[in-house]
């Protein structure tokens, strides 16, 4: 049976160009190497991959105390399930829940090297103290030090990206030397899509790197300099459902239930880039509606009849993808199948 075109989909619809996904993945493999392991941000994702043959999984989220038992189940089930820890109270919870059959909790120390989100600050003595406490705890192994250089998301261009990557790498390696001086050896890692899209040479001294968004990319990554707009693999199809000449606007059937609000105020084209129409702006969205207007001048409604299709390139693909229950996979505009995403926590 001949594959249907993506234009046959009901909208709004999230479409994934599988050829671009493969190219993006292959480029990252060429830059960074590849192993049969995966990093996840939720336990729902961890369970999905565990059910589908992955047995080396890192849950890259500082251990939530309400999820210790679920982490224990995965640790007792898989060859290598690993968790992050950045507080001594979390370590206390692991002490209360020893694993069966002599298994060890595999723990990465979450370190903050300038990102300003989770993690114990690299320059504080508490970081070394916590590492020593992990090593000194029965039934627990310090597997590595985990750093996310999310501050690379503030960069514009390769030079700035690599400056952040270099600084984060330097601080991580310096911390590893402090650990070594105190008699501790373990793995080291940093990660972010920008830094791994343009890695610096010294990142080769780290044990692992952890990019995340690179499979899909998005407008945000193109603005940062991680990719080109042509490499973005995920888009949202929407249709024109109204003409509003009194406002010089089009109405489309994609609102903030189908497209992330992350792009607010960050692009001259509004909340997304409208493919093939650099003169149009997605001005605002309500739950199920979007308002589109020209960046300047009057709108030519003859170019956009009711029912005509527009393609939105999302500012943030992660936040947009999580809104859709189905990803429609295509190659050169012909539908190949569906991907059903893992939802929840």
């Amino acid at each position: 049976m001949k594959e249907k075109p993506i234009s046959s989909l009901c909208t709004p619809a999230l479409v994934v160009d599988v050829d671009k996904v493969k190219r993006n993945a292959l480029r990252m493999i060429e830059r960074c190497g590849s192993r049969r392991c995966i990093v996840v941000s939720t336990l729902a994702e961890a369970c999905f991959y565990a059910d589908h043959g992955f047995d080396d999984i890192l849950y890259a989220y500082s251990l939530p105390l309400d999820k210790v038992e679920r982490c224990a189940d995965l640790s007792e089930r898989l060859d290598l399930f690993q968790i992050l820890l950045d507080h001594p109270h979390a370590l206390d919870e692991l002490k209360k829940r020893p694993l069966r059959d002599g298994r060890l909790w595999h723990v990465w120390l979450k370190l903050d090297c300038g990102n300003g989100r989770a993690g114990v600050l690299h320059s504080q003595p508490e970081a070394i103290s916590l590492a020593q406490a992990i090593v000194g705890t029965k039934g627990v192994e310090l597997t590595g030090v985990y750093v996310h250089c999310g501050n690379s998301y503030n960069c514009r261009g390769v030079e700035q990206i690599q400056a952040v990557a270099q600084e984060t790498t330097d601080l991580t390696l310096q911390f590893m030397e402090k650990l070594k001086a105190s008699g501790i050896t373990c793995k080291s890692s940093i990660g972010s899509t920008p830094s791994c899209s343009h890695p610096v040479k010294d990142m080769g001294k780290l044990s692992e790197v952890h990019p995340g968004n690179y499979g899909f990319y998005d407008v945000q990554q193109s603005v940062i300099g991680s990719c080109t707009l042509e490499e973005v693999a995920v888009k949202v199809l929407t249709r024109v459902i109204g003409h509003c000449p009194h406002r010089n606007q089009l109405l489309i059937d994609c609102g903030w239930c189908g497209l992330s609000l992350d792009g607010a105020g960050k692009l001259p084209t509004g909340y997304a880039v409208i493919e093939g129409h650099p003169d149009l702006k997605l001005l605002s969205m309500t739950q199920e509606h979007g308002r589109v207007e020209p960046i300047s001048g009057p709108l030519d409604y003859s170019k956009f009849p009711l029912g005509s299709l527009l393609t939105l390139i999302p500012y943030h693909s992660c936040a947009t993808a999580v809104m859709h229950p189905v990803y429609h996979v295509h190659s050169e505009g012909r539908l190949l199948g569906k991907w059903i995403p893992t939802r929840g926590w």
Side-chain angles (χ1 to χ4, degrees):
M1 182 181 295
K2 189 176 181 181
E3 298 90 351
K4 292 182 178 180
I6 58 174
S7 60
S8 66
L9 293 169
C10 289
T11 53
L14 186 133
V15 294
V16 176
D17 186 326
V18 71
D19 302 312
K20 290 185 178 181
V21 172
K22 289 178 179 178
R23 286 196 293 270
N24 292 342
L26 286 171
R27 273 193 293 269
M28 193 61 72
I29 289 171
E30 290 168 359
R31 293 185 194 111
C32 302
S34 177
R35 295 176 56 207
R36 187 170 175 76
C37 53
I38 196 161
V39 177
V40 299
S41 60
T42 69
L43 286 179
E45 293 171 353
C47 291
F48 172 84
Y49 285 108
D51 290 342
H52 290 81
F54 285 80
D55 54 15
D56 183 345
I57 299 174
L58 170 56
Y59 177 32
Y61 194 89
S62 297
L63 179 65
L65 302 191
D66 64 316
K67 296 180 176 65
V68 171
E69 189 59 37
R70 290 172 66 190
C71 289
D73 290 343
L74 285 164
S75 295
E76 291 170 344
R77 170 185 169 190
L78 301 176
D79 286 348
L80 190 58
F81 180 73
Q82 303 156 82
I83 60 175
L84 298 191
L85 190 151
D86 65 0
H87 198 282
H89 288 178
L91 181 59
D92 291 340
E93 293 300 312
L94 299 186
K95 294 177 185 177
K96 297 175 187 177
R97 182 40 173 105
L99 299 177
R100 294 194 302 264
D101 302 324
R103 284 177 172 258
L104 298 176
W105 284 104
H106 297 283
V107 172
W108 290 70
L109 174 65
K110 175 67 170 175
L111 198 67
D112 181 359
C113 287
N115 183 36
R117 193 171 67 180
V120 58
L121 195 60
H122 69 95
S123 58
Q124 296 297 310
E126 289 83 358
I128 295 293
S129 298
L130 184 54
Q132 292 171 329
I134 294 169
V135 170
T137 299
K138 183 180 179 181
V140 180
E141 175 193 84
L142 179 60
T143 303
V145 172
Y146 188 99
V147 180
H148 176 57
C149 49
N151 43 330
S152 61
Y153 277 63
N154 298 320
C155 296
R156 295 295 180 268
V158 175
E159 185 176 348
Q160 290 184 19
I161 292 170
Q162 292 189 327
V164 170
Q166 187 65 59
E167 179 184 36
T168 305
T169 301
D170 289 345
L171 292 173
T172 303
L173 292 174
Q174 289 166 19
F175 184 79
M176 300 308 296
E177 287 300 314
K178 292 179 185 178
L179 285 183
K180 188 176 179 180
S182 64
I184 298 173
T185 57
C186 62
K187 294 181 180 180
S188 58
S189 75
I190 72 166
S192 76
T193 290
S195 64
C196 294
S197 295
H198 300 290
V200 295
K201 184 177 180 181
D202 283 346
M203 286 171 63
K205 299 176 182 178
L206 301 165
S207 308
E208 298 180 7
V209 292
H210 300 143
N213 173 272
Y214 67 95
F216 282 177
Y217 281 129
D218 49 33
V219 173
Q220 177 179 221
Q221 294 293 342
S222 72
V223 171
I224 293 168
S226 307
C227 67
T228 66
L229 204 57
E230 290 70 31
E231 291 170 323
V232 178
V234 62
K235 296 168 185 176
V236 176
L237 302 184
T238 183
R239 282 187 168 85
V240 175
I241 58 170
H243 289 170
C244 309
H246 57 291
R247 297 198 305 264
N248 196 33
Q249 291 178 347
L250 299 171
L251 206 60
I252 60 173
D253 66 357
C254 182
W256 47 253
C257 278
L259 186 77
S260 169
L261 290 168
D262 273 7
K266 297 176 181 177
L267 299 171
T269 54
Y271 289 90
V273 170
I274 302 177
E275 188 173 58
H277 299 284
D279 55 331
L280 293 184
K281 177 178 184 177
L282 179 53
L283 177 69
S284 64
M285 291 183 288
T286 57
Q287 182 171 325
E288 303 293 351
H289 297 82
R291 297 183 182 93
V292 174
E293 67 180 23
I295 292 176
S296 63
L299 192 57
D300 183 354
Y301 289 94
S302 67
K303 295 180 179 179
F304 307 101
L306 295 186
S308 58
L309 205 63
L310 294 176
T311 302
L312 308 177
I313 310 178
Y315 182 80
H316 189 180
S317 62
C318 306
T320 294
V322 77
M323 298 173 171
H324 290 261
V326 176
Y327 302 169
H328 299 276
V329 183
H330 72 93
S331 175
E332 298 181 349
R334 310 300 297 186
L335 291 168
L336 301 179
K338 299 175 181 179
W339 291 347
I340 307 300
T342 301
R343 314 298 287 271
W345 294 269

